[in-house]
Amino acid sequence: MAERAGGTLPTARVRAEATEAKVVVRGLSVRYTSSRGTLTALEDISLSVQAGEFCCVVGPSGCGKSTLLRVLAGLIPCAEGEVRIRSDGPQRPLTAMVFQDYALLPWRTVLDNVAFGPENRGVPRAERYRLAREILAKVGLSGFEHAYPHQLSGGMKQRVGIARALANDPEVLLMDEPLAALDAQTRNLMQEELLRIWAEFGKTVVYVTHAIDEAVLLGDRVVVMTARPGRVKAVVPVDLERPRTLEQKGSAHFARLYNEVWQLLREEVSAASREAGGG
Amino acid sequence: MTGAAARQTLRAVRVDARSLAAAGILVAGWEFLPRRGLLNPAYFPPASQVVAALAEGLSAGELLPHVAATVSRLLVAFFLAALPGLGVGVAMGLSGTVRRVADPYVALLYPIPKVALLPLMLILFGVGERAFVLTGALTAFFQIVVNTMDGIRQVDPTLVEVGRNYGATRFRLFWKVVLPAALPGILTGLRLGLGLTLVTVVAVEFAIAKSGLGHVVWGSWQTLTTPRMYAAFVAVGLLGLLLTRGLKRLQDRLLAWQTSVDVW
Ligand SMILES: Nc1ncnc2c1ncn2[C@@H]1O[C@H](COP(=O)(O)OP(=O)(O)O)[C@@H](O)[C@H]1O
Ligand SMILES: [Mg+2]
């Protein structure tokens, strides 16, 4: 297991009236210290996300996107700066993360994976299974309750990952490149699924991706990050009308937004690959 | 018996026809090579003689006490080692401090064949069961420590993050995430520990004990009763097969969620 340097502040839970936005990040910097020295992963990140917003984050690989989500998830202490998540239900967990490689517990059935969060919080068995079945039905996995993860396709595994996060009913849903491991067709299908699920559950989402089309299709805003150390380079509002469909990817408006994000991103991507290439 | 019925029976006892065929060829060779004079029967008695010696030894009750002696030493040694081995392995796997403190000792002692510690045990405990069993227990202990520690260290850190992000307490993080994830490594350690402890126990019996299958092998050499010696070999082999098969079956049952492939 990874050992982490003890930091100072965990992600703070604040009461509803204390802040307007659902998520507030102010002046956040994160450094990793290892035997090879100190690496600045994030530098002076400031960002706020409104309740019910779908906020996408794009940036070159290694720029600190996963690090940002880990801080929001409370997995890395926030040593410098401030992270606040507004809590609207005192019993609700602040965050639930959906991971790129699914990160399902392979020894648990689908049902027990989805019920994992409520189980940890002491929700009685009958109640948490009822909840898990209900959510599995909503993500289209009825009938697979007793399957094990290794019996499922990638797309189905990620539906389980999403169901697990929804079953935990978090204040904010964090998604770290959830579709990156899927083939192109499945990814398209899952993008539609995500739009439908988001509309149904109305969650606040922070969604990391490296696919610009995905960010534009899903997001209310696209946050573009710089190459490492990651900073916020620009925030692009996406004014495509909702409910959104895959067909919108073909529109001129979509292409304009795609290009805007790509222009912001391209020099960062080449900076990142120059650094990777030059060691 | 029809072919299908035979296959079904084999499946029921979980023996693959290919394994059975390989064993058949070995036994056939073992029977006919000495009989044809291609192998010296004084050194390599035919399989039927060995089986006869084994059957006679078991039915006449002459071998049985030795089998019992070996089995009881093995089991006592194994269970003496398992609990502390699991405990130390888990502690070393979870805590960097414990690992840094204990690692030099484990690294130093693990590779020593534990039979080599028998003289020390004899000095400490005198010639007797305590010394024999403890020598065997040391073998199992270090094997279990090393595999348990590695099993826990190799747990996917993302799964630990899942546990923490989904609200598992430290207690539940260990019991519901880390331990199940490390179980394959832990069970492998137990299986190897049991097998290697059998090796140590037989070697100890060989060297000094007045009972047990190792002792039978040594005694048969001195009196040149080779069929009896082979009978003891076969008994040790079957014992090992039985025990590790049993644990393997437990492992397969507990780890049904894992997938494995035959590469060829
Ligand atoms: N636990 C860690 N220890 C040291 N460096 C890390 C650790 N995690 C990530 N990094 C480094 O921090 C940088 C940002 O990583 P990450 O947040 O995973 O980027 P992204 O998700 O945008 O690809 C990378 O250079 C990565 O190598
Ligand atoms: Mg990442």
Side-chain angles (χ1 to χ4, degrees), chain B residues 152-166:
Chain B
I152 287 185
R153 297 271 292 151
Q154 282 161 15
V155 172
D156 179 356
T158 311
L159 294 186
V160 177
E161 292 194 330
V162 168
R164 297 207 289 147
N165 185 233
Y166 284 78

Side-chain angles (χ1 to χ4, degrees), chain B residues 126-214:
Chain B
V127 179
E129 289 302 319
R130 270 209 290 179
F132 306 159
V133 162
L134 280 173
T135 309
L138 282 175
T139 310
F141 176 77
F142 283 100
Q143 192 65 52
I144 293 168
V145 167
V146 167
N147 281 81
T148 302
M149 172 176 72
D150 286 350
I152 287 185
R153 297 271 292 151
Q154 282 161 15
V155 172
D156 179 356
T158 311
L159 294 186
V160 177
E161 292 194 330
V162 168
R164 297 207 289 147
N165 185 233
Y166 284 78
T169 55
R170 283 167 72 95
F171 179 84
R172 286 185 57 87
L173 193 60
F174 175 70
W175 287 103
K176 299 293 174 179
V177 178
V178 175
L179 200 63
L183 201 58
I186 293 174
L187 291 176
T188 299
L190 292 174
R191 199 152 53 89
L192 289 176
L194 189 63
L196 290 175
T197 303
L198 179 60
V199 174
T200 304
V201 165
V202 170
V204 165
E205 291 170 349
F206 202 86
I208 191 155
K210 293 284 169 276
S211 62
L213 290 167

Side-chain angles (χ1 to χ4, degrees), chain A residues 152-174:
Chain A
L152 304 180
S153 69
M156 288 161 82
K157 282 183 202 169
Q158 197 55 295
R159 284 169 201 257
V160 178
I162 293 164
R164 172 171 70 182
L166 292 171
N168 217 18
D169 190 24
E171 301 284 354
V172 179
L173 190 58
L174 306 174

Side-chain angles (χ1 to χ4, degrees), chain B:
Chain B
M1 205 158 44
T2 67
R7 271 197 298 280
Q8 221 164 13
T9 314
L10 284 180
R11 253 203 305 282
V13 294
R14 301 205 194 190
V15 178
D16 188 282
R18 287 163 293 189
S19 308
L20 204 66
I25 290 169
L26 176 73
V27 172
W30 189 1
E31 181 65 27
F32 289 108
L33 292 179
R35 281 199 186 284
R36 290 288 153 90
L38 294 168
L39 284 172
N40 184 345
Y43 306 146
F44 299 101
S48 55
Q49 280 185 31
V50 172
V51 172
L54 185 62
E56 189 196 313
L58 291 177
S59 61
E62 192 265 327
L63 265 185
L64 270 184
H66 294 294
V67 174
T70 300
V71 170
S72 71
R73 282 176 192 138
L74 174 65
L75 291 182
V76 172
F78 179 73
F79 284 107
L80 266 184
L83 223 55
L86 288 172
V88 171
V90 164
M92 287 178 74
L94 290 177
S95 154
T97 308
V98 174
R99 187 165 56 252
R100 284 181 195 100
V101 169
D103 204 41
Y105 299 97
V106 173
L108 199 69
L109 294 173
Y110 171 60
I112 298 179
K114 301 307 173 295
V115 205
L117 295 179
L118 179 61
L120 177 64
M121 295 293 133
L122 294 176
I123 292 170
L124 291 175
F125 301 104
V127 179
E129 289 302 319
R130 270 209 290 179
F132 306 159
V133 162
L134 280 173
T135 309
L138 282 175
T139 310
F141 176 77
F142 283 100
Q143 192 65 52
I144 293 168
V145 167
V146 167
N147 281 81
T148 302
M149 172 176 72
D150 286 350
I152 287 185
R153 297 271 292 151
Q154 282 161 15
V155 172
D156 179 356
T158 311
L159 294 186
V160 177
E161 292 194 330
V162 168
R164 297 207 289 147
N165 185 233
Y166 284 78
T169 55
R170 283 167 72 95
F171 179 84
R172 286 185 57 87
L173 193 60
F174 175 70
W175 287 103
K176 299 293 174 179
V177 178
V178 175
L179 200 63
L183 201 58
I186 293 174
L187 291 176
T188 299
L190 292 174
R191 199 152 53 89
L192 289 176
L194 189 63
L196 290 175
T197 303
L198 179 60
V199 174
T200 304
V201 165
V202 170
V204 165
E205 291 170 349
F206 202 86
I208 191 155
K210 293 284 169 276
S211 62
L213 290 167
H215 172 72
V216 172
V217 171
W218 188 252
S220 312
W221 172 73
Q222 287 180 317
T223 56
L224 275 179
T225 40
T226 38
R228 187 164 173 269
M229 181 172 85
Y230 279 99
F233 283 157
V234 171
V236 172
L238 287 178
L239 200 59
L241 184 75
L242 216 69
L243 290 168
T244 47
R245 260 308 193 82
L247 266 185
K248 184 77 177 66
R249 225 141 118 183
L250 179 73
Q251 193 167 8
D252 289 347
R253 167 130 11 129
L254 288 175
L255 305 179
W257 50 270
Q258 275 191 326
T259 44
S260 61
V261 294
D262 288 332
V263 176
W264 282 323

